[in-house]
Amino acid sequence: SLSPDRRARAMADMVQATAAYIPQQKAQLEISAVNDALVKAATAPTRGDLALILFPLRRSLAALETASSEIDQKLQARFRQRVDEFKALADGENSIPKAREEELAVLAQGEKLLAENNRLSRSLTAAVDRLVAAADREITASGREAALVQRYGTGVVLGSAFLSLLSSVLVVWLYVDRSLLARLGAVSQGMLAIAGGDLRAPLPAAGSDEIGRMAEALSLFR
């Protein structure tokens, strides 16, 4: 069995080892918490979520600062170096939360530009639709005007044809009725008068056509 002195020294060594282990265990837990917080900060979906993650992250960094003075002096320099590395990753211009914040800002700007692009696209589509509708209306109006002009032209052509026919009828009527028929009537009356013994009955003037030659032949019977 151990002597009382050796037992006391063993107990003291165990207490000292336990006292040295507890800060290291606490530091290890805080380091794990910092790692988890940095991973969450790198994938935070919104700025609000990022702000919620930063609070426990900074608390864990403060706990590591406190633990650095409680651990074994042989490990303090290395431990403080790791703490400084964590602080650089957690805070500052080149930190993970700052990079994620800028990334979220870029994504928000991209979504804003995309929404603006969609709005402009809808406006452009509506403008094109209005132009197409206006063109359709103009084409329809032009078609109606063309049909009206065509009907008017058809009416003009028919009217011209009717006037031409009427003119032809008038010319024929004037020529036949007032010239041919009148001369034929005069020849007929002359023939009847000569047949009745009136040799002085007037006859149409002789001419080169058939009626003129008939009048010339009748003049021989006088």
Side-chain angles (χ1 to χ4, degrees):
S1 63
L2 296 175
S3 63
D5 292 338
R6 294 184 64 183
R7 186 181 298 112
R9 284 196 300 270
M11 289 294 295
D13 291 340
M14 186 176 65
V15 170
Q16 185 177 2
T18 302
Y21 176 74
I22 291 176
Q24 294 180 17
Q25 187 178 21
K26 289 174 59 178
Q28 187 174 2
L29 292 175
E30 295 298 340
I31 289 173
S32 178
V34 169
N35 279 327
D36 292 341
L38 289 175
V39 171
K40 291 179 180 179
T43 58
T46 64
R47 288 187 176 183
D49 294 327
L50 185 60
L52 293 176
I53 294 170
L54 289 179
F55 178 76
L57 175 60
R58 288 167 180 163
R59 183 191 58 78
S60 296
L61 287 173
L64 286 177
E65 286 280 357
T66 303
S68 64
S69 61
E70 298 176 355
I71 63 174
D72 189 354
Q73 292 183 354
K74 297 178 181 179
L75 302 175
Q76 281 186 4
R78 177 66 175 169
F79 185 79
R80 288 184 181 277
Q81 182 180 357
R82 293 296 305 276
V83 171
D84 291 339
E85 292 174 356
F86 278 128
K87 289 174 65 176
L89 291 174
D91 198 7
E93 292 298 323
N94 298 322
S95 64
I96 291 176
K98 183 65 175 179
R100 182 56 179 171
E101 184 179 1
E102 293 176 353
E103 184 180 5
L104 290 174
V106 171
L107 291 175
Q109 183 66 20
E111 292 177 355
K112 183 179 179 181
L113 292 176
L114 182 60
E116 180 67 15
N117 183 62
N118 290 334
R119 186 187 67 80
L120 292 175
S121 178
R122 289 193 297 269
S123 299
L124 179 60
T125 301
V128 171
D129 290 340
R130 288 194 297 270
L131 290 175
V132 171
D136 289 339
R137 289 193 297 270
E138 291 180 359
I139 291 173
T140 302
S142 299
R144 287 197 296 267
E145 292 178 359
L148 182 61
V149 170
Q150 184 178 8
R151 288 195 296 270
Y152 177 76
T154 302
V156 170
V157 171
L158 292 176
S160 300
F162 176 75
L163 291 176
S164 298
L165 180 61
L166 181 61
S167 299
S168 300
V169 171
L170 289 175
V171 169
V172 170
W173 178 75
L174 290 173
Y175 177 73
V176 173
D177 185 59
R178 295 191 178 185
S179 180
L180 295 179
L181 293 180
R183 291 174 66 196
L184 285 173
V187 170
S188 177
Q189 290 178 1
M191 290 175 64
L192 292 175
I194 292 173
D198 186 6
L199 299 178
R200 294 183 178 181
L203 294 173
S208 59
D209 57 356
E210 286 76 4
I211 297 175
R213 287 194 291 271
M214 289 175 62
E216 185 178 359
L218 285 176
S219 64
L220 297 176
F221 291 99
R222 289 180 173 181

